[in-house]
Amino acid sequence: MHKELITALQNQIQGEVVYDAETLTTYSHDTSIFEIRPLAVVYPKSSLDISLIVKFVQDNKFNVPQLAITPRSGGSDMTGGSIGQGLIIDVTKYLNQFEIDVAGLGAHVQPGVFYRDFEPKGLEHNLIMPVYPASKNLAAFGGMISNNCAGEKSLQYGQMRNFVDR
C-alpha cells in the first residue's frame, strides 16, 4: 500500500480516492475473466480533477512503477480494459450529466452517463442513440466511445465514432 501517495493525490483533487479492501476487490474485475487489483479507485468530480490526476501520475510514475491510469465507466468491458494495477478512474459517480439538444438532434454527454439512463430521456423526444452494445443496460458513454461500440443497428447507422462530434 502506498498510503502517502494516495493521501498526496487526495489533497490535490476535489474528488475521492478510495482504497479499502472491499472497493479494491470490486474494481479488480470487469466482465472479462481477468482479475487485477488496483492501488486505488478515484472518483473525479470534474475534468480538472482528471487533468490533475494525469499530472500526478506523470510526476510520480518513476517512484511507483505500477502507477498508471485505467479509465472506467460501466465496467462492462469483456477484454479486461477497465481493470488495472494502478489507479482506476471511475467517472460514473460524478461525471454523469447530460443534456439533450432536441433542436440540434444531439446531446451533450459526460463520460459517466449510463445508456440505460440516457435512452428514456431521448425517447421522450422521439430521439435515440442507435449505436449501443449488447451490454447497453450496463454500459456508459465513456466506454462506448473509447471502445467505438457497435451494436445490432451498426450496419444501418454505423459505429459510435459516427455520432461523436468532439
Side-chain angles (χ1 to χ4, degrees):
M1 178 65 62
H2 299 279
K3 190 169 183 177
E4 294 104 21
L5 189 73
I6 304 290
T7 302
L9 176 58
Q10 181 64 73
N11 290 335
Q12 291 185 24
I13 66 169
Q14 291 183 359
E16 301 166 39
V17 182
V18 181
Y19 57 94
D20 63 274
E22 183 178 348
T23 300
L24 297 182
T25 298
T26 299
Y27 282 84
S28 295
H29 306 274
D30 56 8
T31 57
S32 72
I33 60 170
F34 306 109
E35 179 178 344
I36 302 172
R37 190 173 183 89
L39 287 175
V41 177
V42 185
Y43 303 102
K45 286 191 174 182
S46 65
S47 58
L48 175 60
D49 269 359
I50 294 173
S51 295
L52 292 170
I53 295 163
V54 170
K55 180 164 180 8
F56 180 85
V57 168
Q58 287 174 334
D59 293 345
N60 291 283
K61 66 183 174 185
F62 295 109
N63 299 328
V64 183
Q66 73 268 33
L67 189 61
I69 295 171
T70 302
R72 182 175 176 129
S73 48
S76 61
D77 190 284
M78 298 182 74
T79 63
S82 59
I83 57 176
Q85 63 182 353
L87 301 175
I88 303 293
I89 299 180
D90 185 338
V91 295
T92 60
K93 187 169 186 177
Y94 297 110
L95 299 175
N96 55 19
Q97 303 298 309
F98 67 92
E99 179 182 321
I100 295 180
D101 177 6
V102 177
L105 299 177
H108 301 280
V109 182
Q110 290 183 319
V113 172
F114 285 97
Y115 186 89
R116 67 177 178 249
D117 298 330
F118 178 82
E119 184 180 46
K121 297 295 183 183
L123 289 174
E124 288 176 10
H125 303 286
N126 294 320
L127 298 173
I128 189 166
M129 168 59 77
V131 179
Y132 51 82
S135 61
K136 74 177 191 171
N137 290 330
L138 302 172
F141 276 81
M144 291 169 61
I145 292 168
S146 66
N147 286 309
N148 190 28
C149 80
E152 64 187 51
K153 298 180 185 293
S154 64
L155 291 176
Q156 182 175 359
Y157 294 104
Q159 298 170 305
M160 193 68 181
R161 69 176 176 224
N162 301 111
F163 295 91
V164 177
D165 192 25
R166 292 184 239 145

